[in-house]
Amino acid sequence: MAKSAGVIIARVVVVVLILAAIAAIIYFLVIRNNGEARGPTYEEMNRILNSENQATFEQNIGELETGNYFNYANGISNVDFKNVYLSYYMDKQILNTYKDLLLYVGNADARALQSISDNLAEYESALVDVVHSQELFNITQSQGIGASEVATNFGYFVSDFIELQQIFHVIVNDTFNYVTQHYYENINAFLSQKYAQTYILNIQSGLINSKLTAGERVNEALYQDSLAMVKFYTDCAENSFTEQADSDSSIPDFIALVSNMSYDFSGFYNAESKAEYYAAASDDTKSQLQVLARGLGLTGRL
């Protein structure tokens, strides 16, 4: 009987060892290898966005429509600063929402990941220039050197900021498209509140960024629409985009409308003035646009 029990125990031990070996093989061949394949771009992004230069850059530019730079830009009527800042701020909210999915999606497209990595390297290099021009402006402003020279140095900084934002927008746009393409594969992504609002905000940021890239004026309607949208978006993000589950919220109607693929609202999304687009729409379309407006934080702007 003892011998039989010993044999059973021995067999159990062998089975356990075999299972442990299989688990080890799975870990090293699947989990570990996938981690190595999917991690570098995400880690590089976090390294750069948590770098000392990035912290200095963000400390200098202040918060949304507040801080020394914003006040100075208003004082000399430099509207480019507030426009590029808003585009950057919108993109930052989008990236904060979706960048962690780089880990989940993994190396689904090596070429796309390499493109993001290459642009991250460009961003890091441009960040050095931005911080340098910030230092130049800060020194001349704090020392009370001639107003003309201070304004000139601020102009250099804004120009560097626009160049930085051009790169940053590409990174954010490519990251968003890359992770959502594979994360929402074979499903209607617009059924997700997070995706629907981010998708449209990404278009909105692109409208401002395109104007800045072309050296064209960003009109006040575009700026104010964008400001309202990103403020609403950050509120939704802070609530983990849970308004979709609230029957008293306007979000369920918004999702039902944007996820209906028989409608095409791209003209509204890409309109520089949402109010002008609304004014030219038919009555039936206007009722739909009001639903979209409530889901995007544009209530009262149409």
Side-chain angles (χ1 to χ4, degrees):
M1 193 65 142
K3 182 178 179 181
S4 177
V7 170
I8 293 173
I9 292 172
R11 288 176 177 174
V12 170
V13 170
V14 170
V15 171
V16 171
L17 291 174
I18 291 173
L19 292 176
I22 293 173
I25 291 172
I26 291 174
Y27 172 78
F28 282 104
L29 294 184
V30 181
I31 298 177
R32 183 177 177 182
N33 286 342
N34 280 351
E36 290 174 351
R38 66 179 61 176
T41 302
Y42 176 78
E43 291 171 2
E44 186 71 358
M45 183 178 292
N46 277 332
R47 181 188 68 78
I48 294 171
L49 296 182
N50 289 298
S51 66
E52 184 177 345
N53 275 343
Q54 180 71 18
T56 300
F57 160 65
E58 294 200 342
Q59 181 179 0
N60 281 325
I61 62 175
E63 300 296 330
L64 186 61
E65 294 202 314
T66 61
N68 175 47
Y69 280 39
F70 178 79
N71 293 333
Y72 178 79
N74 274 349
I76 63 170
S77 300
N78 184 321
V79 295
D80 280 344
F81 173 75
K82 74 171 189 177
N83 292 329
V84 67
Y85 183 100
L86 183 57
S87 182
Y88 169 79
Y89 184 82
M90 294 166 77
D91 282 340
K92 187 180 177 186
Q93 308 316 307
I94 294 170
L95 193 63
N96 286 344
T97 300
Y98 271 96
K99 70 182 175 69
D100 287 345
L101 280 184
L102 278 170
L103 284 175
Y104 178 88
V105 172
N107 192 17
D109 185 339
R111 182 175 296 180
L113 278 180
Q114 185 60 53
S115 178
I116 294 171
S117 295
D118 290 344
N119 283 311
L120 282 169
E122 285 192 34
Y123 178 87
E124 186 172 28
S125 177
L127 190 59
V128 174
D129 294 334
V130 167
V131 171
H132 176 71
S133 59
Q134 283 182 331
E135 290 174 351
L136 188 61
F137 166 71
N138 291 344
I139 290 172
T140 52
Q141 186 191 41
S142 64
Q143 293 182 353
I145 297 174
S148 176
E149 185 175 348
V150 175
T152 297
N153 288 338
F154 189 75
Y156 290 149
F157 155 68
V158 172
S159 179
D160 286 342
F161 190 2
I162 290 174
E163 290 186 19
L164 182 80
Q165 170 54 22
Q166 290 171 357
I167 302 168
F168 189 60
H169 182 72
V170 172
I171 292 170
V172 174
N173 184 67
D174 288 353
T175 299
F176 174 70
N177 288 333
Y178 172 73
V179 298
T180 55
Q181 176 186 354
H182 299 288
Y183 182 76
Y184 296 106
E185 192 172 12
N186 299 323
I187 65 172
N188 184 349
F190 286 97
L191 290 169
S192 162
Q193 176 191 344
K194 180 168 76 171
Y195 176 84
Q197 290 178 317
T198 307
Y199 175 87
I200 301 168
L201 187 70
N202 187 46
I203 293 176
Q204 191 71 14
S205 176
L207 294 176
I208 294 183
N209 196 71
S210 294
K211 290 290 185 181
L212 293 169
T213 301
E216 298 175 358
R217 185 178 66 88
V218 175
N219 64 51
E220 190 64 13
L222 176 55
Y223 181 86
Q224 293 298 335
D225 284 346
S226 302
L227 186 62
M229 287 172 66
V230 75
K231 285 182 176 179
F232 184 74
Y233 181 89
T234 54
D235 287 342
C236 291
E238 287 174 1
N239 292 320
S240 301
F241 300 97
T242 54
E243 293 85 355
Q244 187 172 5
D246 183 356
S247 59
D248 294 328
S249 168
S250 59
I251 298 298
D253 290 338
F254 165 75
I255 296 301
L257 188 58
V258 296
S259 63
N260 188 334
M261 294 296 102
S262 62
Y263 296 117
D264 179 11
F265 297 111
S266 59
F268 181 69
Y269 301 155
N270 285 282
E272 291 184 18
S273 171
K274 302 296 191 272
E276 286 185 9
Y277 186 93
Y278 175 81
S282 66
D283 290 341
D284 288 342
T285 302
K286 282 181 178 178
S287 64
Q288 294 176 331
L289 296 181
Q290 285 288 352
V291 174
L292 294 182
R294 288 191 290 271
L296 295 172
L298 292 171
T299 302
R301 289 201 52 78
L302 298 187

